[in-house]
Amino acid sequence: MENVVVIVGAGPSGLATSACLSAHSIPHVILEKEDIYASLWKKRAYDRLKLHLAKEFCSLPFRPHSPGSPTYIPKDLFVKYLDEYVSTFNIQPQYHRSVESAGYNENDGKWRIEARNVQSGEVEVYVAEFLVIASGENSAKYIPDFPGLDTFKGEMIHSSDYKSGLTYENKDVLVVGCGNSGMEIAYDLSNFGARTSIVIRNPVHVLTKEMVRVGMILSNYLSVFIVDFVVLVMAYIIYGNLSKYGIRRPKQGPFFQKIKHGRAPVIDVGTVHKIKSKQIKVVPGISSIKGKKRVVFEDGAEREFDAIVFATGFKSIVNNWLKDYKYALIEDGFPKNDFPHHWKGERNLYCCGLSRRGLFGVSMDAKSIADDINKVISQKVEM
């Protein structure tokens, strides 16, 4: 099957790239392993989730959020936005296509992509001049392999399978991971009456949504070091010294850390107040699982839990199927080129949504990729 462009993934990155290619009238196909677009949002997002950034930083190309929508868009409203986006730009992904292999053919200068139709079991071959990786940062669930993990007899779930704390009332629940998902899930569990503990091992910045919004606006005019200073002063005024509650602050500022390492600050939804008031207990890292429901911590303490929620993130599996990943990625599945040139690889290989800059980065990547592909095609026509 000959194509000009093949896009792998129908999440926001794939949808945005499709819309931008269509704006240039460039034929393309989207291969999606799930049965629906934006499956992470539609199937694997917890109920109380809202976009952590203000709506002006969370729109896809050519379609800003409506003026009447909330500043911080709730999950269901964002899903509706994606539905309208797909309808408006007539985006038609090929579903149930799990890409198993993609490699570059030096002889004809094209990409050969093999995708299994998971419904029929047949392997389909796609040939394209351009290949866009749009499967996102959140490809596969990651759960650390603690000693004795397989002996735990309580409930164990990944944060992507968590919906709400409704069924955890009066239960002892441990949340592993102190990123945005972990902190918000801990808050949600506590609200529903669970006896909640959270593992916080590493230093982390905790800010409010308003602080982040101010910081992003200031970033247009001031250096990142001044922005970090202003935001951290605001954080100290609101929260004080959190180290006595088990929350240590990193040495690098939140915006510098985001730019340099892609690590986002935790945006507090009320978790800090619950930690301060001892409604949520901060515990050290897990050493091992001992017995049916007993967890041993790094300080030697032991406690029993009815459930463990692993908010330990995801890992990229792109390099499992992208044989020639070296043209754009490094071994961990992230771009080899630094921002802002991260989206473009060699041999007409591109990656969208891997800048660790959220939906704002997705939109930037999609526009850049489509413009570059259009430029390459136009130059060939002129020759």
Side-chain angles (χ1 to χ4, degrees):
M1 207 177 298
E2 189 86 19
N3 297 273
V4 177
V5 184
V6 166
I7 302 169
V8 180
S13 297
L15 302 181
T17 303
S18 175
C20 291
L21 288 171
S22 294
H24 290 295
S25 300
I26 298 173
H28 59 277
V29 63
I30 306 176
L31 304 179
E32 169 56 49
K33 66 181 179 180
E34 300 285 347
D35 60 352
I36 192 69
Y37 55 87
S39 63
L40 188 65
W41 286 94
K42 286 176 171 279
K43 292 182 176 182
R44 300 195 291 275
Y46 47 91
D47 293 345
R48 62 162 289 114
L49 178 65
K50 292 184 179 181
L51 295 182
H52 291 132
L53 300 182
K55 63 183 178 182
E56 61 261 36
F57 303 110
C58 294
S59 62
L60 298 183
F62 315 124
R63 192 172 181 85
H65 292 285
S66 65
S69 60
T71 301
Y72 298 97
I73 308 290
K75 179 195 73 172
D76 290 344
L77 191 58
F78 184 67
V79 168
K80 182 181 178 182
Y81 167 84
L82 293 176
D83 290 339
E84 294 172 351
Y85 195 85
V86 167
S87 176
T88 299
F89 297 104
N90 192 30
I91 301 172
Q92 301 179 23
Q94 298 293 308
Y95 297 115
H96 304 288
R97 267 61 175 191
S98 179
V99 175
E100 296 186 341
S101 175
Y104 185 75
N105 188 326
E106 295 285 355
N107 294 324
D108 62 9
K110 293 186 177 180
W111 288 90
R112 176 187 171 92
I113 302 100
E114 296 182 2
R116 185 173 298 278
N117 185 322
V118 296
Q119 288 185 313
S120 68
E122 296 180 357
V123 175
E124 302 168 348
V125 178
Y126 298 81
V127 177
E129 187 175 352
F130 304 90
L131 176 61
V132 181
I133 305 160
S135 48
E137 301 173 16
N138 303 330
S139 299
K141 304 172 190 176
Y142 172 71
I143 294 180
D145 187 18
F146 298 109
L149 184 64
D150 57 346
T151 68
F152 187 75
K153 301 305 180 184
E155 180 184 0
M156 287 194 302
I157 63 170
H158 188 269
S159 57
S160 61
D161 298 314
Y162 177 90
K163 294 301 179 184
S164 84
L166 185 61
T167 60
Y168 297 96
E169 185 178 1
N170 293 322
K171 291 184 178 181
D172 291 289
V173 185
L174 176 64
V175 179
V176 181
C178 59
N180 278 301
S181 293
M183 294 287 258
E184 188 160 1
I185 287 172
Y187 176 80
D188 189 59
L189 285 163
S190 180
N191 280 348
F192 279 99
R195 293 181 291 273
T196 308
S197 299
I198 184 170
V199 172
I200 301 181
R201 291 185 62 198
N202 302 317
V204 61
H205 285 292
V206 180
L207 307 174
T208 66
K209 290 180 178 180
E210 290 72 23
M211 291 177 197
V212 173
R213 189 181 189 188
V214 168
M216 293 186 74
I217 293 171
L218 291 179
S219 295
N220 294 320
Y221 310 100
L222 303 172
S223 75
V224 66
F225 301 105
I226 296 176
V227 173
D228 276 340
F229 176 78
V230 172
V231 170
L232 288 176
V233 168
M234 294 169 65
Y236 189 81
I237 292 172
I238 297 297
Y239 296 116
N241 182 5
L242 293 177
S243 61
K244 58 185 176 182
Y245 301 103
I247 303 174
R248 294 171 293 127
R249 194 177 74 186
K251 293 180 180 179
Q252 296 176 333
F255 282 82
F256 178 82
Q257 206 174 53
K258 180 65 176 173
I259 293 170
K260 188 71 175 177
H261 307 291
R263 297 175 190 161
V266 168
I267 299 176
D268 181 39
V269 295
T271 313
V272 171
H273 171 72
K274 283 182 172 286
I275 289 173
K276 285 183 172 182
S277 61
K278 299 182 180 180
Q279 297 175 67
I280 295 175
K281 183 176 181 179
V282 174
V283 295
I286 296 175
S287 175
S288 64
I289 307 294
K290 181 180 177 182
K292 294 181 179 180
K293 293 186 177 182
R294 186 165 290 274
V295 176
V296 182
F297 295 100
E298 291 176 346
D299 62 357
E302 298 183 14
R303 280 187 60 194
E304 288 194 351
F305 292 93
D306 299 300
I308 302 177
V309 180
F310 287 97
T312 43
F314 300 80
K315 61 180 180 180
S316 173
I317 57 172
V318 171
N319 291 0
N320 292 355
W321 55 263
L322 184 58
K323 307 309 177 186
D324 292 318
Y325 69 84
K326 63 182 181 293
Y327 292 131
L329 309 174
I330 54 179
E331 289 185 358
D332 65 357
F334 282 91
K336 69 176 185 179
N337 296 327
D338 293 332
F339 183 88
H341 308 294
H342 60 282
W343 53 270
K344 184 175 181 179
E346 303 168 56
R347 307 294 196 277
N348 293 335
L349 178 62
Y350 301 85
C351 52
C352 182
L354 295 181
S355 67
R356 293 171 171 166
R357 283 168 169 76
L359 292 165
F360 184 71
V362 165
S363 186
M364 291 175 60
D365 290 354
K367 292 175 183 177
S368 298
I369 290 168
D371 288 347
D372 193 73
I373 290 175
N374 184 59
K375 180 181 176 181
V376 172
I377 294 173
S378 298
Q379 289 174 343
K380 283 191 174 184
V381 172
E382 293 172 0
M383 291 177 64

